[in-house]
Amino acid sequence: MAVNPQHLELFAEAQRIAPKSMKVEYTDGTIIMQASPSAPHELNLTKIRAQFDRHVPQGAVPVGNIDLVSANITKARNPDLTYLPEDALETVSGKIPADLALLAVEVVSPSNPENDWVGKLRDYPVMGVPLYLIVDPRQKTVTLFSRPDATRYHRREDIAFGEQIPIPDPFGFDLDTSVLRPY
């Protein structure tokens, strides 16, 4: 599907008028606006990031809440955490090609879990994001999706809070989920 310029204009306008406390995303003709995350959400994200930061590949940097876009489809997604090559951030547009991301991490929102479990699970592989980690404090689970093609992820691994999940290269470590807090 080609990018519709009117959709991009609507998305830009939604970003302009949204309060700074709102996240704005766009997919398939729908603008998604969410309130800022809760304290438990941010605590879990901080604990995850601390572990990834110890294993970040050289030349990559952690980024929260930046728009990932795809040139071939009308998608703009904003992961809770992603790692990107540092030089990808040398743009003033604030929109980064999604296929540059090393992974996307989402901590599921209790008010809109479908956004992470359905919408982003559908969009990230199409956009070229190689690893997608979903932390679901409601269910006390962590799920890693990998091996994407242009339609879906082909590998899925699920664990419960308290276990470790192997994170493949370029990170190459076991994520300890015993530090995560349920909602």
Side-chain angles (χ1 to χ4, degrees):
M1 175 190 291
V3 176
N4 182 330
Q6 290 177 324
H7 290 175
L8 295 178
E9 288 175 24
L10 289 172
F11 175 57
E13 181 64 11
Q15 288 182 307
R16 187 187 69 74
I17 64 171
K20 295 292 182 210
S21 62
M22 300 289 285
K23 283 178 66 172
V24 181
E25 297 178 324
Y26 179 83
T27 183
D28 296 331
T30 302
I31 295 173
I32 301 164
M33 298 175 77
Q34 289 184 292
S36 292
S38 67
H41 176 282
E42 289 301 298
L43 177 62
N44 283 328
L45 192 59
T46 299
K47 291 182 176 292
I48 292 163
R49 179 177 167 175
Q51 292 182 64
F52 271 96
D53 281 355
R54 290 192 296 270
H55 303 280
V56 65
Q58 187 169 355
V61 293
V63 181
N65 296 314
I66 195 162
D67 289 333
L68 298 179
V69 296
S70 178
N72 299 323
I73 54 177
T74 307
K75 305 280 181 194
R77 289 301 199 164
N78 190 303
D80 290 329
L81 174 64
T82 190
Y83 285 81
L84 295 163
E86 187 172 348
D87 59 0
L89 300 172
E90 294 176 4
T91 177
V92 294
S93 78
K95 302 201 182 330
I96 307 297
D99 59 355
L100 295 179
L102 302 178
L103 91 151
V105 177
E106 300 289 356
V107 177
V108 174
S109 165
S111 63
N112 191 9
E114 296 81 18
N115 190 36
D116 298 322
W117 279 111
V118 178
K120 291 182 180 183
L121 182 56
R122 175 196 64 228
D123 294 347
Y124 284 151
V126 176
M127 296 172 78
V129 177
L131 300 171
Y132 178 29
L133 186 73
I134 301 178
V135 177
D136 194 337
R138 304 163 315 131
Q139 303 296 322
K140 301 178 194 167
T141 61
V142 175
T143 303
L144 178 66
F145 293 93
S146 60
R147 295 186 45 214
D149 64 16
T151 61
R152 66 183 182 93
Y153 288 105
H154 289 274
R155 180 166 289 159
R156 174 182 175 153
E157 184 167 355
D158 297 278
I159 64 164
F161 277 19
E163 298 177 313
Q164 293 191 352
I165 189 166
I167 305 298
D169 289 335
F171 298 95
F173 76 101
D174 290 337
L175 180 71
D176 178 12
T177 67
S178 67
V179 297
L180 301 177
R181 305 290 190 269
Y183 292 151

